[in-house]
Amino acid sequence: MSYRIGLVGKPSVGKSTFFNAATMNDVPEGAYPFTTIDPTVGEAYVRVDCAAPEFDETCTPSVGVCREGTRFVPVKLVDVAGLVPGAHEGRGLGNQFLTDLNETDVLIHVVDFSGKTDIEGEATEGHDPREDIDFLEEELDAWYLDVLEKGLEKFETRYHGADAAIEAELADQMSAFGIDKDRMKRVILAEELELDPETWDETDRIELAREIRKRTKPMVVAANKMDTPEAQANWEEITTDSDYDHLSFVPASAHAEKALKNADDAGVVDYTPGESGFDVVGDVSGEQEAGLDQIAEFVDEYDGTGVQGALEAAVFDVLGCIAVFPGSANGSKDEKGVFRDCFILPEGSTTEDFAYHIHSDIGEGLLHGTDCRSGRQVGTDNELSHRDVIELVSTKQAAP
């Protein structure tokens, strides 16, 4: 399983450039609405410090790559089309937008922090990026509220006057959002509501829908075009605004990331994605040198272009995922190679979860695990940590 990151944003903010920069796929770019008209799925990567050097080994990745001890582990990046005001009502590509969005685990909202595109994606000056942040959240909240209200209507029709669990009915109605009845109950109680919808007013329902959305569609804001003074001024105002404390912000320049990757492919620079610097190794014109100098100042100031940082913030910070390496008793090899795999797992995953993630046969026959760094045996219910190297001891092998 590969995590799916949904890339969203209004037209003309640089979303397709961000997608291309992250995946280097050839997706049309343009300053007009609906440049992307279908969900495009590409392979992006998140960085993990490779465990192989700790065991005096050189890894042989089965997927992704390893560059100087940094493992690039694949994730799916979904460029979702159709974000315009009224999307939840079907405006524009709204219905397809919501369907595609719901197949993702976490969102990166690309926002033009320079304020040079209005709410419809048209060129302007002085637009407040907070309007863009707000309208996405409001669209999603309205969508969640619509689904919640349908669940409440069904509950009232089916169980009026009966002793039934509202959390089970709402979880069933909202199951597409990845919420079960236990989690639903926790959210209701966290909002200090009774488990009786007759006691809820309109504000209660709105706030409940919003909280479910926050927990099931967490979000990172990629503050794009941060290589402009207007964006930098907006950054200072918005990131210190307490109304947005629930969001993670990453300063970004998708244009700079793509330029560096193109230059690296052309042999002009030596650049590792996510790094805060690069080396010029080829001949460049005066104009190219000036452009690279500007990018160098930006990545030094902001510790990278922000494209890689946004991906990793989404997976590791917002979702709380961990990376785990399967190993053998000596910590490194299996019959197919050396540190071939690195898996991204949900926060709180156990040895048993890891076994089932690799293959159901291994999970069914699991006896225990071995921490390959310490040699210590760990139980099936042992909670794993980021960058653990675990050997799985099972009575069954994975089917070929």
Side-chain angles (χ1 to χ4, degrees), residues 3 27 66 102 112 145-146 157 167 177 195 229 231 269 305 327 331 350:
Y3 278 89
V27 172
C66 192
N102 203 39
D112 178 0
L145 181 60
D146 285 346
T157 300
E167 64 270 23
F177 298 129
L195 295 173
V269 303
T305 69
T350 64

Side-chain angles (χ1 to χ4, degrees), residues 41-183:
V41 181
E43 190 168 76
Y45 299 88
V46 293
R47 294 172 296 172
V48 178
D49 289 338
C50 188
E54 299 175 47
F55 297 88
D56 296 321
E57 297 283 2
T58 300
C59 67
T60 53
S62 60
V63 295
V65 295
C66 192
R67 296 181 66 171
E68 298 180 355
T70 298
R71 194 74 167 255
F72 287 80
V73 183
V75 292
K76 298 297 183 186
L77 186 61
V78 183
D79 188 359
V80 182
L83 175 58
V84 294
H88 76 279
E89 297 174 335
R91 182 170 177 243
L93 304 176
N95 292 331
Q96 188 62 44
F97 166 77
L98 298 175
T99 299
D100 297 332
L101 199 69
N102 203 39
E103 296 178 358
T104 63
D105 301 296
V106 62
L107 306 179
I108 295 178
H109 183 193
V110 181
V111 176
D112 178 0
F113 257 52
S114 73
K116 294 185 178 180
T117 49
D118 66 18
I119 201 69
E120 298 282 355
E122 301 293 339
T124 189
E125 296 288 340
H127 178 72
D128 188 346
R130 276 173 282 213
E131 291 186 30
D132 302 340
I133 298 169
D134 293 345
F135 105 72
L136 173 60
E137 293 202 289
E138 288 165 3
E139 287 294 333
L140 296 182
D141 290 345
W143 174 33
Y144 271 65
L145 181 60
D146 285 346
V147 179
L148 177 71
E149 294 282 14
K150 290 176 183 176
L152 291 172
E153 290 173 8
K154 289 181 180 179
F155 180 81
E156 183 176 349
T157 300
R158 293 179 185 177
Y159 302 112
H160 186 69
D163 185 16
I166 182 60
E167 64 270 23
E169 182 67 24
L170 291 183
D172 181 65
Q173 179 67 31
M174 308 187 80
S175 60
F177 298 129
I179 189 166
D180 59 25
K181 65 177 182 179
D182 293 333
R183 193 177 182 193

Side-chain angles (χ1 to χ4, degrees), residues 356-377:
Y356 274 102
H357 181 87
I358 293 177
H359 200 283
S360 58
D361 287 347
I362 296 176
E364 289 169 3
L366 182 67
L367 298 175
H368 61 81
T370 299
D371 182 324
C372 295
R373 287 190 176 93
S374 66
R376 180 176 60 88
Q377 180 174 308

Side-chain angles (χ1 to χ4, degrees), residues 120-396:
E120 298 282 355
E122 301 293 339
T124 189
E125 296 288 340
H127 178 72
D128 188 346
R130 276 173 282 213
E131 291 186 30
D132 302 340
I133 298 169
D134 293 345
F135 105 72
L136 173 60
E137 293 202 289
E138 288 165 3
E139 287 294 333
L140 296 182
D141 290 345
W143 174 33
Y144 271 65
L145 181 60
D146 285 346
V147 179
L148 177 71
E149 294 282 14
K150 290 176 183 176
L152 291 172
E153 290 173 8
K154 289 181 180 179
F155 180 81
E156 183 176 349
T157 300
R158 293 179 185 177
Y159 302 112
H160 186 69
D163 185 16
I166 182 60
E167 64 270 23
E169 182 67 24
L170 291 183
D172 181 65
Q173 179 67 31
M174 308 187 80
S175 60
F177 298 129
I179 189 166
D180 59 25
K181 65 177 182 179
D182 293 333
R183 193 177 182 193
M184 180 65 74
K185 183 176 181 178
R186 290 196 296 271
V187 177
I188 293 171
L189 296 178
E191 288 296 295
E192 299 183 347
L193 298 176
E194 298 180 29
L195 295 173
D196 178 3
E198 291 188 358
T199 66
W200 304 349
D201 59 22
E202 181 180 0
T203 299
D204 292 333
R205 295 194 298 273
I206 292 171
E207 291 299 325
L208 178 59
R210 180 175 294 120
E211 186 60 26
I212 296 169
R213 187 267 301 169
K214 287 180 181 178
R215 297 192 185 204
T216 60
K217 279 289 175 283
M219 188 184 309
V220 171
V221 175
N224 199 27
K225 306 183 184 181
M226 276 293 292
D227 45 359
T228 64
E230 296 89 350
Q232 292 160 15
N234 284 327
W235 171 271
E236 292 300 324
E237 288 189 17
I238 295 171
T239 58
T240 57
D241 187 334
S242 60
D243 287 345
Y244 301 102
D245 285 348
H246 63 286
L247 293 172
S248 296
F249 291 86
V250 177
S253 171
H255 171 77
E257 177 74 7
K258 192 177 181 191
L260 286 177
K261 284 187 174 178
N262 284 334
D264 183 75
D265 287 345
V268 174
V269 303
D270 182 13
Y271 171 64
T272 299
E275 291 295 308
S276 58
F278 57 90
D279 296 318
V280 179
V281 295
D283 295 331
V284 295
S285 67
E287 184 179 355
Q288 288 173 322
E289 183 178 8
L292 288 172
D293 285 345
Q294 289 181 343
I295 293 175
E297 291 179 8
F298 177 79
V299 298
D300 179 65
E301 174 71 20
Y302 291 98
D303 196 28
T305 69
V307 171
Q308 197 65 45
L311 296 170
E312 288 155 9
V315 173
F316 296 123
D317 297 339
V318 175
L319 283 181
C321 293
I322 60 173
V324 181
F325 297 87
S328 62
N330 66 6
S332 61
K333 301 178 181 178
D334 63 23
E335 68 276 9
K336 297 179 182 178
V338 180
F339 281 101
R340 296 180 66 251
D341 297 309
C342 178
F343 296 102
I344 306 296
L345 301 178
E347 182 179 24
S349 292
T350 64
T351 305
E352 183 178 38
D353 296 329
F354 184 35
Y356 274 102
H357 181 87
I358 293 177
H359 200 283
S360 58
D361 287 347
I362 296 176
E364 289 169 3
L366 182 67
L367 298 175
H368 61 81
T370 299
D371 182 324
C372 295
R373 287 190 176 93
S374 66
R376 180 176 60 88
Q377 180 174 308
V378 295
T380 59
D381 60 350
N382 168 66
E383 186 171 321
L384 301 175
S385 298
H386 186 54
R387 296 186 64 252
D388 270 352
V389 183
I390 301 294
E391 177 189 21
L392 298 171
V393 181
S394 175
T395 60
K396 297 183 178 181

